[in-house]
Structures are given as structure tokens and as C-alpha cells.
Amino acid sequence: MHGVTGRMGLNQHLVRSIVAIRAQGGVVLPNGDRVMPDPILVGRNAEKVAALGRQYGIERTTSDLAAALKNPDDTIFFDAATTQARADLITQAIAAGKHIYCEKPIADTVDKALAIARLAKERGIKHGVVQDKLFLPGLRKIAKLKEAGFFGRMFSVRGEFGYWVFEGDWGQPAQRPSWNYKLAEGGGIILDMLCHWRYVLDNLFGEVKAVSCLGATHIPSRVDETGKTYVADADDAAYATFELEGGVIAHMNSSWCVRVRRDDLVTFQVDGTHGSAVAGLSKCWTQHRVNTPRPIWNPDVPQTMNFYDQWEEVPDNFEYDNGFKIQWENFIRHVVADGPWAHGLLEGAKGVQLAELGLKSWQERRWLDVPKLTV
């Protein structure tokens, strides 16, 4: 496990996934056997990864990645470190015969992403990319509604994502690392979030066929972890519209410069002929056509309707485990027992492709088609 000293690698992949899987007694296979992950934590700072190992009961840690890759007993390489280095690291791990599981984006260009996807296919190793938002309870409820035919003919998706990331200059420390806002270090919300929106849209609402994207750097100066002011030259907001297969139109606002007045930090509204739904991270509300009220437009009097009260919440009929953990368990079953898997490196390359096209659309101020990718 490489890159688990960072926020996402530590909290979601190490603590809430691998440590939790170990605590529950491993991953149950279809035949009833159990697989117990035995991780080795790898990072540049030997003392830091050793401290993490002691804290979470993991015996093996090292700062020597090359040596770790030589151990034939460690069959999976996982990376959650910097995007810019990921393609090279994955290439090294494939050369060492490891199965690959990694965070997104899988590379900083689509050419690099396709190169590692092709290499993985040529070497016959198993591979996967984290697509965690598909496992959010809110989006799983959307998937159930779609499966049940609740929406009728679906025609639009509206997404709002983000919150205010403090600039760091007036007493409130920034909640995200400074590299996110520096182009030279792989920052930018388009590269970060359009990778997510690609797999969400493709899997739930229709394959992405075209994109129009406008980016912005709303906050051009921020303060880093050492208290030093720096130029924030990466895009910190993105306003993107997508044409999907089947005529569905999707629009996603992604911003680190927005104050939240909605149900959750991310919300998706899905509209169809028979019904609509709004999902956050965990909850989902619906309004069927037979329950749709008739609002009256009258700007001369205060609004009397409480529109929030007109929606019905989808009940939690299932127990929803952590999405990162679910995907880790699925990947381990895929590696050990050839279980089903649909999140390979080609899917990761599609996300990088959409981000690259989004940046190009912004630069050229025009719609761009999204060609099919193959390896």
C-alpha cells in the first residue's frame, strides 16, 4: 500500500477498508473461505509509515518501494499517492508482476492512462481503479429507482458538488493540501472531479457522448501548510454539461469556492417523465408524478410552499457499508477467486479522457465529442 499517509489513503483505504477488513476476519469468498489482507505500508518517510503501522497493528512498513515490489508474496500493488507519479509507479508494479489497484486519476494524461491499461492487458494481470461514488448509499438508491422503472424516461441530471475551502490567510486553516491548487503539482478540480463524473454518468445515467466545460480559478492566492502565500493557478471550479447516450442531458457544478445550501456536500437531481429523485451521499428523496404539486408563480407575494416537504425519503432497507471497503472486498475476490469486476484501468482511462477533454473545451470554448477508448 503506497501513499497511505495522505488524507484519502489513510482514512478511506487504510483505516476504513483494510484495517476494517482485518478486524472483521478477512474477505469471505464464494466458497466460504476467507482471505486476510497482510499489507506492507510504503512511504517516503520511514518514521511516518512505521508510526502508522504501530497505530493500526500492521507489522510491515518500509520506505524502500523497489525492495517491496520484489517480494513475490505481496501480489497486489495499491497506490494513492500523487497523480503525476502514478503511471510510472503502476508501470514498475506491473513489471514486477503485481496486480494493480489504484486511486483516480490513474494518470495525468490519457496517453499515459491508456499505456498502463494496455500494459496490464498484455501482462495478463488483474487491475482496478477506485470508483467509490458508485457505492455511496445515495447513488445506490438512485440505481434501485432506475432499475424499478421509477423515472420513466430519464432526461436530465443536475449535480452540485463542493464546499468552501478556506484560503488559509485569516485564522481558518485550509482543509485540503496546497498541491490541489497548483498546476505544476497536478492540481485542478477538472482533473480531479471529471474522472468521478465519468464513471457515475456512464454507469447510472448513460454513456458520456460529448462535453462542454468552463473552468475558473476564483481564488488566485492561498496560504500553504507552512504559512507561505502561493499563487493558486489551478482551476478551483468547473461548470460542465454532458450529452449522454439516450438523449439525457447532465450538468455538474464542481467547486471548492461555494458555500453549501443544499442537502449534502454532493447532490444529484434526476428528472424523468414519471418521477424525480434527489440523492446526497447517504439519503435520497423522490417525487412521483402523481405526487407532484402545482406551484403558482407570483413574484408579488412570499412563497407559501415548502418545497422540501413535498418529497418522500427512500428508506434504508439495506445496510450500507463503507463504499471504499466494499470495492476493496470486491477487488480481493476478483484477484483470489476470479470474482466479477467492472472497474479496470480502461475505466480509469475514460475518466482521464473526459478531464482532458473538459480542459480542452474550456481552452477552446466549444463542445467536444468523446470518442470511444479501446486497449
Side-chain angles (χ1 to χ4, degrees):
M1 297 187 75
H2 180 259
V4 294
T5 55
R7 177 179 58 93
M8 187 68 72
L10 172 61
N11 294 330
Q12 295 293 1
H13 292 290
L14 180 59
V15 178
R16 295 169 195 162
S17 295
I18 294 301
V19 171
I21 289 169
R22 285 160 60 88
Q24 74 183 18
V27 176
V28 180
L29 300 180
N31 66 359
D33 289 346
R34 286 179 176 267
V35 176
M36 180 64 78
D38 178 21
I40 176 170
L41 309 184
V42 185
R44 290 176 298 178
N45 188 320
E47 293 182 2
K48 194 170 184 178
V49 291
L52 280 180
R54 289 191 297 270
Q55 182 176 357
Y56 294 107
I58 294 170
E59 296 179 358
R60 300 187 301 142
T61 67
T62 184
S63 59
D64 190 341
L65 176 60
L69 288 172
K70 291 178 182 178
N71 184 353
D73 293 331
D74 291 321
T75 56
I76 295 173
F77 172 75
F78 171 73
D79 181 61
T82 62
T83 300
Q84 289 177 310
R86 184 160 296 135
D88 288 340
L89 290 170
I90 290 174
T91 300
Q92 292 177 44
I94 293 173
K98 309 300 182 189
H99 302 300
I100 302 298
Y101 189 48
C102 67
E103 261 292 350
K104 43 76 28 209
I106 66 169
D108 54 1
T109 71
V110 71
D111 288 342
K112 291 180 183 178
L114 286 172
I116 57 175
R118 291 187 181 112
L119 182 61
K121 182 179 180 180
E122 291 168 4
R123 297 298 177 90
I125 59 96
K126 293 180 177 178
H127 49 89
V129 60
V130 177
Q131 299 192 327
D132 55 286
K133 287 180 173 48
L134 291 177
F135 300 90
L136 290 171
L139 286 183
R140 291 174 70 185
K141 292 171 184 176
I142 289 282
K144 287 291 183 184
L145 291 169
K146 181 184 176 185
E147 182 182 327
F150 170 82
F151 296 106
R153 179 177 56 82
M154 187 186 301
F155 51 76
S156 72
V157 180
R158 296 175 177 86
E160 292 283 347
F161 169 80
Y163 51 91
W164 190 269
V165 175
F166 289 101
E167 304 93 319
D169 61 347
W170 59 276
Q172 287 278 3
Q175 310 99 298
R176 290 173 58 84
S178 57
W179 70 262
N180 287 276
Y181 307 96
K182 301 175 182 178
L183 286 176
E185 297 184 19
I189 201 166
I190 292 176
L191 179 60
D192 186 6
M193 296 312 302
L194 263 64
C195 291
H196 280 300
W197 305 148
R198 179 66 189 268
Y199 68 75
V200 168
L201 295 173
D202 277 359
N203 283 277
L204 293 181
F205 307 118
E207 186 178 354
V208 179
K209 296 297 185 183
V211 58
S212 172
C213 183
L214 176 66
T217 304
H218 291 311
I219 309 295
S221 177
R222 294 180 178 270
V223 176
D224 67 15
E225 295 80 357
T226 67
K228 182 180 178 181
T229 300
Y230 67 93
V231 174
D233 58 355
D235 43 289
D236 54 23
Y239 310 91
T241 305
F242 309 93
E243 291 182 351
L244 310 185
E245 187 177 30
V248 179
I249 304 300
H251 183 83
M252 297 296 305
N253 290 329
S254 310
S255 179
W256 299 126
C257 311
V258 61
R259 296 176 175 90
V260 179
R261 193 179 190 276
R262 53 183 185 270
D263 294 309
D264 212 331
L265 297 184
V266 62
T267 57
F268 299 87
Q269 175 161 340
V270 185
D271 293 310
T273 53
H274 291 182
S276 298
V278 176
L281 292 167
S282 300
K283 296 182 178 295
C284 180
W285 296 265
T286 61
Q287 189 174 100
H288 196 264
R289 61 179 174 178
V290 299
N291 297 321
T292 301
R294 185 189 297 271
I296 303 299
W297 173 263
N298 188 346
D300 299 320
V301 298
Q303 180 58 250
T304 58
M305 282 189 173
N306 186 327
F307 294 105
Y308 283 101
D309 290 345
Q310 297 167 354
W311 294 70
E312 183 178 4
E313 186 175 350
V314 177
D316 288 324
N317 290 336
F318 305 92
E319 183 176 341
Y320 297 100
D321 205 347
N322 178 278
F324 290 86
K325 177 173 173 282
I326 292 170
Q327 200 175 2
W328 261 107
E329 291 173 325
N330 289 344
F331 185 69
I332 290 171
R333 291 189 189 99
H334 175 58
V335 169
V336 177
D338 205 26
W341 184 254
H343 315 286
L345 290 175
L346 179 59
E347 296 304 302
K350 291 178 182 178
V352 179
Q353 177 198 37
L354 189 62
E356 203 168 86
L357 289 170
L359 289 165
K360 185 178 180 182
S361 170
W362 173 22
Q363 180 183 25
E364 299 182 0
R365 300 180 66 82
R366 66 185 181 98
W367 277 92
L368 292 173
D369 292 331
V370 181
K372 281 189 174 294
L373 291 183
T374 58
V375 293

